[in-house]
Amino acid sequence: MNPIAKLGGFVLGLIAVFFAAYGVGQVAGPEDAANLTEPAAEHDEPAAEHDEPGAEHDEPGTEHGEGGHLPGGLLVSEDGYTFTPVTAPPGEFAFQITGPDGQPVTEFDVAHDKRMHLIAARRDLTGFQHVHPEVDADGTWRVNTPLTAPGTWRLFADFTPTGGEPVTLGLDQHVPGEFEPRPLPAPATTATVDDYTIEVAGTLTPGETSELTLTVSRDGVPVTDLDPYLGAYGHLVALREGDLAYLHVHPAGAPGDGVTAPGPSISFGVEVPTAGAYRLFLDFQHAGEVRTAEFTLVAGAGSPGR
């Protein structure tokens, strides 16, 4: 090879080495190489947080509510307790609540006069049922099925295990058959059931406990002799449109406390976590019969009927 060719090859080699070294310096220089290791460590932290159920929902003001408290009924398992359906004869629904040890729970505290409240609502928020199963010695709860029509239903088991905190677990069950979802009824402050009219006053405020007062009349006459029902003169269930979150509702006062009158007004504290539409179901008892009045209210809209 002539000297000129050798010199050209040598120069080209030097140029290649120079650019290769420059590229390495750009990718892994002393400062940049250290910086590249830091994001990896940062990405490891969120992964660790996601290993804790609900950790990503702990910020106040999230869709789940103030303080990150997840509304009831969204989970089939919570705090070690699981809502488990079991095989039952036709026309019956049966289930168990298994505990942290995996065994059926057999000891429950009485809350609102019952050890177990089973709520059923079809996913379009129709067909509401509130029933009270009976428990076998082995921890199996049984009741005539509350699933009364085709479609997908959400079942809520509302209970307090002895020695524990109140828990509400949710479970979907499908009833085969032709099904056409119904639209959510428009917001309103008045509902009727049989010859009773129920009016609601108050505003739902997201993130706070809102006071709602429901007034019962019959044929235009205020009802002042409501029967006690589940430890109060009425029992209210609120479900959020969409995910059917089961909300905390507390009656104000109790029969026999010397303060609470048996009608015509019944007051409740309702905790709604977010703005949006909610379906409310008021169970009340009069003349020995339980009836259910239904409302759609909107939180964060300025008024219940807006």
Side-chain angles (χ1 to χ4, degrees), residues 1-304:
M1 182 180 296
N2 60 56
I4 295 176
K6 289 182 178 181
L7 180 60
F10 179 72
V11 171
L12 289 174
L14 285 177
I15 293 172
V17 170
F18 172 78
F19 279 105
Y22 177 80
V24 170
Q26 288 296 99
V27 173
E31 293 182 1
D32 289 339
N35 290 338
L36 284 173
T37 63
E38 291 175 5
E42 290 173 0
H43 289 306
D44 287 341
E45 292 176 6
E49 289 175 2
H50 290 305
D51 289 340
E52 300 177 14
E56 67 273 25
H57 303 299
D58 286 341
E59 290 299 321
T62 67
E63 65 181 48
H64 300 304
E66 292 296 315
H69 175 71
L70 196 69
L74 294 179
L75 303 176
V76 70
S77 296
E78 186 174 7
D79 297 334
Y81 297 96
T82 302
F83 186 1
T84 306
V86 301
T87 303
E92 181 178 278
F93 180 71
F95 64 97
Q96 294 177 336
I97 302 298
T98 55
D101 61 357
Q103 298 301 309
V105 179
T106 57
E107 298 294 331
F108 297 82
D109 290 342
V110 173
H112 301 294
D113 285 351
K114 300 292 181 180
R115 285 184 166 82
M116 178 67 67
H117 297 264
L118 184 67
I119 309 296
R122 207 165 61 172
R123 278 258 169 207
D124 61 356
L125 288 171
T126 64
F128 176 85
Q129 300 284 319
H130 180 176
V131 296
H132 303 104
E134 297 293 333
V135 66
D136 296 339
D138 67 353
T140 300
W141 295 89
R142 301 180 185 276
V143 68
N144 291 337
T145 182
L147 311 179
T148 57
T152 300
W153 291 71
R154 189 68 173 173
L155 289 163
F156 303 91
D158 185 345
F159 61 92
T160 301
T162 297
E165 297 295 322
V167 180
T168 302
L169 302 177
L171 173 75
D172 275 353
Q173 293 283 277
H174 184 72
V175 178
E178 187 175 347
F179 165 58
E180 183 175 348
R182 300 180 189 175
L184 188 70
T189 57
T190 301
T192 59
V193 53
D194 297 334
D195 52 352
Y196 293 84
T197 299
I198 299 88
E199 296 183 356
V200 60
T203 301
L204 294 178
T205 303
E208 298 181 6
T209 298
S210 306
E211 183 175 326
L212 295 183
T213 299
L214 295 99
T215 302
V216 183
S217 61
R218 184 179 190 182
D219 294 328
V221 179
V223 175
T224 58
D225 58 345
L226 291 168
D227 300 329
Y229 179 64
L230 301 178
Y233 287 119
H235 188 276
L236 189 65
V237 169
L239 302 177
R240 182 167 61 184
E241 182 186 25
D243 60 3
L244 273 62
Y246 183 98
L247 307 179
H248 296 281
V249 180
H250 307 284
D257 63 6
V259 177
T260 306
S265 296
I266 318 165
S267 294
F268 298 89
V270 185
E271 302 174 31
V272 297
T274 61
Y278 294 82
R279 193 68 171 159
L280 275 64
F281 303 88
L282 172 69
D283 292 331
F284 66 96
Q285 183 168 284
H286 186 239
E289 184 176 348
V290 177
R291 295 172 173 84
T292 303
E294 304 180 11
F295 296 85
T296 299
L297 300 183
V298 177
S303 69

